[in-house]
Amino acid sequence: MLNRFFLLAFLCFSCHLIAQEEPVEQVKIFLDCDRCDDEFQRQNLGNVQFVRDQDLSDVHIFVVTQRNGAGGRSYEMDFIGKNEFEAINYKLTFATDANMTNDEVRKRVLEYLKLGLVRFWIAKGTISEVAVNVPTPENEEEEIEEKYPWDYWLFRVGANGFFNGQELNNRSNFNVNLSARRVTEKNKFSLFLRYGENRSTFTFINDLDEEEDFKVFNNNKRLNVNDVLSINDHWSYGFFGSIGTSTFSNFDLFATFRPALEYSFFDYVDSAKKQLTISYRNGIRYNEYIERTVFNETEELLWEHGIQLGGRINQEWGTVNAEVSFNQFLNDPTLNATNFFLSTNVRLFKGFNFNVSGSYSITRNQVNIPGGDLTVEELLLQQQQLQSGYNYFVSVGFNYSFGSIYNTIVNPRFDF
């Protein structure tokens, strides 16, 4: 009886596999986009078959995005033909802005996906249900030169908070922020103002069944002002300033001002797909401390400089982001910090992707650490920044997919 049951189950499973592998003579596409709503596109883009790997596709749609001055993103959508469509390759570009909802953004992406696929549908001969709508001459709107009443300025105001707790502890966090940003080809200016506070209460019951409350309160205030100016296609310079306070980091007041110079090895217009820059900053920092530091200082004026080399690549085979930086106080060259960062997701072969990310920092420039010993409560509750010679994180993984090459169907039941 048991053998018959397994035989019947095997036959049902085999029939299911055969049924789902039925080929459909439609253009096979691989949508390679980190910021696209894949589920929405699969539900609303017909006349195509979505496949799970670029080598299985007729069209590899490779999409890269960058933040733009309107608070949205600029999209570059490459349609890369494969197999019988190898001769068809072109790019579409469009942009979104800060006033667009997620639904409006994904609908615009869908519009450009349809527009870019028209040539492939024509070449494939699957145009029986494809329609193109364009305005008639009498309905065309007269082209009016667009004016910018805000002169490219974008403002944002925001606030957020969270509250959680149990019987013996509770936490709250509150943040308010204001930003102003103006981006043109020649100049990029930004201002960011933030206030945040954290409150935590922990209740302990001692040996006498008495409740003892430990309360933690941290707040921080910060104002950043940055101004970057273009020199040419490879050079730019800027000014970076900040002022603020932080009870966690032992700052009653801090203020910095650092001019900087940057060189881009590639033309800035290619930054969506490849970027490699080196920059140098040199300036002053004034610190006024809440508690006397381990260097027996209550306030000090420091001269600091730093160099940073970083780059990123967004290509069909994957993405790579890497950065190395070195910062040093010139008053005492032994006070310095070195940081390394790497993040990559690389497609090694069909269906197989390898990813690794991590950072490592050598921190010998923590001039703000307060002197004296920490209490057990301060250590466990993380009331203030701790001295550490290094910190790191590492993540390594891979994923491999195989089986049915078609994945057009979307089934959202039970959210998995």
Side-chain angles (χ1 to χ4, degrees), residues 35-230:
R35 291 187 172 271
C36 297
D37 187 335
D38 286 350
E39 183 174 325
F40 177 83
Q41 306 308 330
R42 290 181 182 136
Q43 288 177 325
N44 292 276
L45 181 58
N47 206 35
V48 297
Q49 280 288 344
F50 287 82
V51 296
R52 59 174 171 78
D53 190 89
Q54 64 190 58
D55 280 351
L56 300 170
S57 67
D58 297 320
V59 188
H60 180 186
I61 305 173
F62 179 56
V63 185
V64 293
T65 69
Q66 291 188 107
R67 184 181 176 187
N68 61 30
R73 304 196 72 83
S74 295
Y75 287 72
E76 289 187 9
M77 189 175 285
D78 283 310
F79 292 81
I80 306 166
K82 296 178 176 293
N83 305 320
E84 59 184 296
F85 306 114
E86 193 170 347
I88 306 177
N89 289 279
Y90 55 92
K91 177 190 298 183
L92 296 178
T93 61
F94 62 95
T96 62
D97 60 61
N99 295 318
M100 297 178 68
T101 65
N102 289 337
D103 186 57
E104 290 173 324
V105 170
R106 66 186 185 179
K107 285 180 178 177
R108 177 163 293 185
V109 172
L110 179 62
E111 290 174 2
Y112 277 84
L113 284 174
K114 291 178 180 178
L115 183 62
L117 285 168
V118 168
R119 289 183 62 186
F120 296 96
W121 284 327
I122 293 173
K124 187 72 172 179
T126 56
I127 58 173
S128 59
E129 297 184 4
V130 176
V132 179
N133 296 316
V134 294
T136 57
E138 59 270 18
N139 292 330
E140 286 185 350
E141 295 182 2
E142 182 181 353
E143 187 173 341
I144 301 174
E145 184 179 351
E146 188 172 3
K147 297 181 180 180
Y148 297 94
W150 290 97
D151 191 29
Y152 298 100
W153 281 98
L154 176 69
F155 300 92
R156 282 184 174 175
V157 179
N160 64 78
F162 76 84
F163 311 88
N164 61 23
Q166 301 178 24
E167 183 178 358
L168 298 179
N169 66 76
N170 60 76
R171 296 181 58 198
S172 65
N173 175 275
F174 178 71
N175 293 281
V176 179
N177 60 79
L178 167 68
S179 68
R181 181 180 175 90
R182 185 178 187 270
V183 179
T184 68
E185 290 290 335
K186 296 295 183 181
N187 177 245
K188 181 168 67 173
F189 176 87
S190 69
L191 179 149
F192 181 77
L193 178 64
R194 179 182 184 273
Y195 172 79
E197 67 175 41
N198 294 278
R199 294 177 182 268
S200 301
T201 301
F202 298 85
T203 302
F204 294 89
I205 300 177
N206 60 26
D207 295 336
L208 301 176
D209 288 335
E210 296 175 339
E211 292 186 355
E212 298 181 20
D213 289 338
F214 292 92
K215 296 183 179 181
V216 179
F217 174 76
N218 285 313
N219 68 45
N220 61 83
K221 298 180 281 289
R222 188 180 190 97
L223 171 65
N224 291 344
V225 180
N226 304 323
D227 194 18
V228 175
L229 299 101
S230 304

Side-chain angles (χ1 to χ4, degrees), residues 271-297:
S271 60
K273 289 188 175 179
K274 57 183 179 180
Q275 187 174 38
L276 179 63
T277 61
I278 185 169
S279 62
Y280 177 74
R281 303 187 186 195
N282 194 319
I284 58 173
R285 169 185 286 270
Y286 173 75
N287 293 338
E288 190 174 306
Y289 304 110
I290 299 172
E291 297 181 33
R292 190 177 296 271
T293 70
V294 291
F295 295 97
N296 199 33
E297 298 287 350

